[in-house]
Amino acid sequence: MSDLTLPPRFAVFGQPITHSLSPRIHRHFAQGLGIALDYQAIEATPELFPATLARFASQGGIGANVTLPLKEQAATLCLELSPAARRSGAVNTLVRRDDGWFGDNTDGSGLVRDLEAHLGLALAQRQVLLLGAGGAARGVVSALFEAGIAELVVANRSIERARALAHDLAACGPIQVCDWQELDQAGAFDLVLNATSAARQGVVLALPASLLGADACAYDLSYGDSARPFLEWATQHGAGRASDGLGMLVEQAAQAFLIWHGLRPDSAATLAWLRGQ
Ligand code: NDP
């Protein structure tokens, strides 16, 4: 039961969750717009997530973000999914309705908005290489095609997972699959996206310089220390632009904020504030 004297309740669910930037991002958005907001980080294992989410709703929770490792599970807990969530099979934004949860996925639109609005990249007719075929990779494919890319090559350590992605998302556009060992013959790309979690395990990806076309953009979906090895490789091998995924994080949050509050926050101001910290 919600108490109308209290600000509306929002949260991000994941495991681990203590280092999530989402509470700070949403509070900064709300502050900029003069909105009262209660946004907490709630730790939940996959086993406890359904009960934890149900308790959050019973205590007045009306919106939530979902992060690793709960995005696919969140999709199964929704009564209805947006087209983006249905295509990717993963939910990062939950909206409470009278009869249950509506699930959306704003990761893809967040990435595209960061690439176009903050990095000034025109995606139309671009050749794109996507490294990785996990949940984040799946989440961005349809938005990249909607932004007009010409071709997508997906390379993944386990080729079967890349093939499954290409099969499941074939309706989005032409997707080629490439073995990790075949990357030196894969050609040159305008945009190379790193959607692997290799650096989190201390693994530096061995990538041929030939992947970077003239004035290519290299983008790591992760940020902080995890993004550093890939971005160093890109700048050392002549990439025109190299960026981590902090802008994507802020933009996917801005899209969720718009869904919940009907207001678009000043995401550029929040990104500048975070980068300054
Ligand atoms: P998943 O666990 O679903 O997928 C991990 C991917 O990394 C798989 O493709 C896996 O390959 C690959 N991988 C893992 N270890 C290695 C390695 N040693 N060598 C090569 N490939 C490897 O994770 P997600 O897709 O959810 O997340 C990927 C990254 O994207 C994370 O760093 C996450 O933080 C970031 N992210 C950023 C967001 C943002 O807003 N900026 C939003 C969402 C994610 P295989 O299939 O062979 O195991």
Side-chain angles (χ1 to χ4, degrees), residues 68 71 107 132-137 156-158 161 195-198 200-201 203 205 221-223 245 248-249 252:
L68 278 172
K71 288 184 184 181
D107 281 339
N156 196 48
R157 181 177 56 177
S158 43
R161 206 170 175 192
T196 76
S197 55
R200 285 182 172 217
Q201 302 134 37
V203 175
L205 298 173
L221 271 64
S222 59
Y223 43 87
M248 172 181 171
L249 183 76
Q252 62 77 27

Side-chain angles (χ1 to χ4, degrees), residues 31-188:
Q31 210 177 356
L33 289 163
I35 291 176
L37 179 83
D38 178 355
Y39 189 111
Q40 304 297 327
I42 300 177
E43 179 115 4
T45 62
E47 295 71 32
L48 291 178
F49 180 45
T52 311
L53 185 64
R55 188 163 59 246
F56 173 70
S58 72
Q59 293 170 348
I62 58 170
N65 288 128
V66 183
T67 187
L68 278 172
L70 307 172
K71 288 184 184 181
E72 284 85 3
Q73 191 184 3
T76 69
L77 300 176
C78 292
L79 283 184
E80 195 187 338
L81 296 174
S82 71
R86 205 175 316 114
R87 275 194 294 267
S88 63
V91 158
N92 79 336
T93 302
L94 290 164
V95 184
R96 188 71 196 172
R97 292 187 174 164
D98 289 343
D99 51 350
W101 292 105
F102 171 78
D104 207 338
N105 192 317
T106 65
D107 281 339
S109 58
L111 170 67
V112 166
R113 195 167 160 86
D114 189 37
L115 289 169
E116 294 188 331
H118 299 311
L119 300 173
L121 195 73
L123 286 168
Q125 296 308 313
R126 299 292 183 161
Q127 304 287 329
V128 181
L129 173 65
L130 180 59
L131 303 169
R138 278 181 175 261
V140 302
V141 169
S142 67
L144 288 169
F145 278 111
E146 279 162 23
I149 65 165
E151 191 196 11
L152 183 68
V153 175
V154 179
N156 196 48
R157 181 177 56 177
S158 43
I159 190 73
E160 286 313 320
R161 206 170 175 192
R163 288 199 185 110
L165 180 155
H167 174 268
D168 296 348
L169 297 170
C172 296
I175 304 175
Q176 308 281 337
V177 170
C178 172
D179 201 285
W180 209 256
Q181 284 73 36
E182 296 167 342
L183 277 176
D184 52 358
Q185 283 129 48

Side-chain angles (χ1 to χ4, degrees), residues 208-234:
S210 55
L211 295 176
L212 296 168
D215 199 32
C217 176
Y219 189 100
D220 199 315
L221 271 64
S222 59
Y223 43 87
D225 289 343
S226 301
R228 204 158 290 141
F230 175 73
L231 299 182
E232 279 175 6
W233 166 82

Side-chain angles (χ1 to χ4, degrees), residues 249-267:
L249 183 76
V250 171
E251 289 300 342
Q252 62 77 27
Q255 191 63 32
F257 194 95
L258 177 65
I259 292 168
W260 293 330
H261 306 281
L263 294 169
R264 182 169 282 286
D266 185 348
S267 50

